[in-house]
């Protein structure tokens, strides 16, 4: 005679789901769609064009205050790199965020799921994949519409490895909920 399987009391639904950001990691600001955007360097004006705010010694001069965040100011980056003076000195930074073979695999998976026309060998694509890798590595899965400012030192290292020929970069942007996400949901 058939008997239904017994439910295990050790099962915990959603226990393997990624956790959201901790409240102490960043400041939040309401967005126009009612959600909250996380801006780690809220209220830090006057940084654009100078490096007085850099604590690690490896940040680059950026044109907008919102992009001017040192890795030593990001609790998540500090937690990942510990006592190192800069995140880009982490032993795995090169392999995770700058290795073109790793980034090509990330882009190949992205292309398979999202956009088969993506040129996986362009510097722009490799740069975007590197930003994605850093964010995933340091913050984990954030979900659609949740973005973090990437520290200037990390951005500078990625831009140095995969430069834009025109020298024009976008920088941090608030989430556009109508935009296609980089990775499938």
């Amino acid at each position: 005679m058939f008997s239904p399987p017994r439910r295990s009391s050790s099962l915990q639904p959603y226990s393997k789901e990624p956790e959201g950001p901790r409240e102490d990691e960043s400041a939040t600001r309401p967005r126009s769609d009612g959600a909250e955007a996380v801006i780690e360097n809220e209220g830090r004006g006057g940084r654009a064009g100078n490096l007085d705010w850099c604590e690690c010694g490896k940040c680059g001069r950026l044109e907008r205050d919102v992009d001017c965040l040192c890795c030593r100011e990001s609790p998540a980056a500090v937690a990942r790199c510990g006592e190192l003076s800069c995140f880009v000195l982490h032993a795995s930074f090169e392999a995770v965020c700058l290795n073109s073979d790793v980034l090509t695999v990330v882009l190949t998976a992205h292309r398979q799921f999202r956009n088969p026309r993506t040129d996986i060998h362009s510097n722009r694509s490799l740069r975007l994949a590197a930003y994605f890798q850093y964010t995933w590595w340091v913050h984990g899965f954030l979900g659609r519409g949740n973005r973090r400012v990437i520290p200037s030192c990390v951005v500078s290292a990625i831009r140095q490895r995969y430069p834009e020929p025109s020298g024009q970069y976008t920088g941090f942007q608030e989430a556009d909920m109508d935009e296609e996400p980089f990775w499938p949901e």
Side-chain angles (χ1 to χ4, degrees), residues 40-69:
E40 290 180 303
N41 64 343
E42 186 76 30
R44 295 190 183 128
R47 293 179 169 214
N50 70 71
L51 294 174
D52 298 340
W53 47 270
C54 176
E55 298 176 26
C56 71
K58 296 196 177 293
C59 293
R61 282 186 177 82
L62 298 173
E63 296 176 10
R64 300 177 322 145
D65 287 336
V66 70
D67 296 319
C68 298
L69 175 73

Side-chain angles (χ1 to χ4, degrees), residues 70-137:
C70 181
C71 65
R72 303 308 300 167
E73 297 176 300
S74 169
V78 170
R80 179 68 63 183
C81 72
E83 297 300 317
L84 292 172
S85 62
C86 182
F87 192 88
V88 300
L89 300 175
H90 190 288
S92 299
F93 178 72
E94 171 81 25
V96 174
C97 298
L98 297 179
N99 183 294
S100 63
D101 292 331
V102 170
L103 300 177
T104 300
V105 169
V106 169
L107 287 166
T108 301
H110 173 256
R111 184 169 72 173
Q112 178 180 353
F113 289 108
R114 286 286 176 199
N115 187 353
R117 296 177 310 231
T118 300
D119 177 6
I120 62 175
H121 300 290
S122 74
N123 275 0
R124 181 179 189 277
S125 292
L126 292 167
R127 208 171 41 253
L128 292 176
Y131 298 150
F132 174 81
Q133 284 288 93
Y134 168 83
T135 302
W136 185 271
W137 183 28

Side-chain angles (χ1 to χ4, degrees), residues 10-19:
S10 66
L11 287 179
Q12 297 178 352
Y14 308 106
S15 65
K16 301 296 183 199
E17 290 293 311
E19 295 180 10

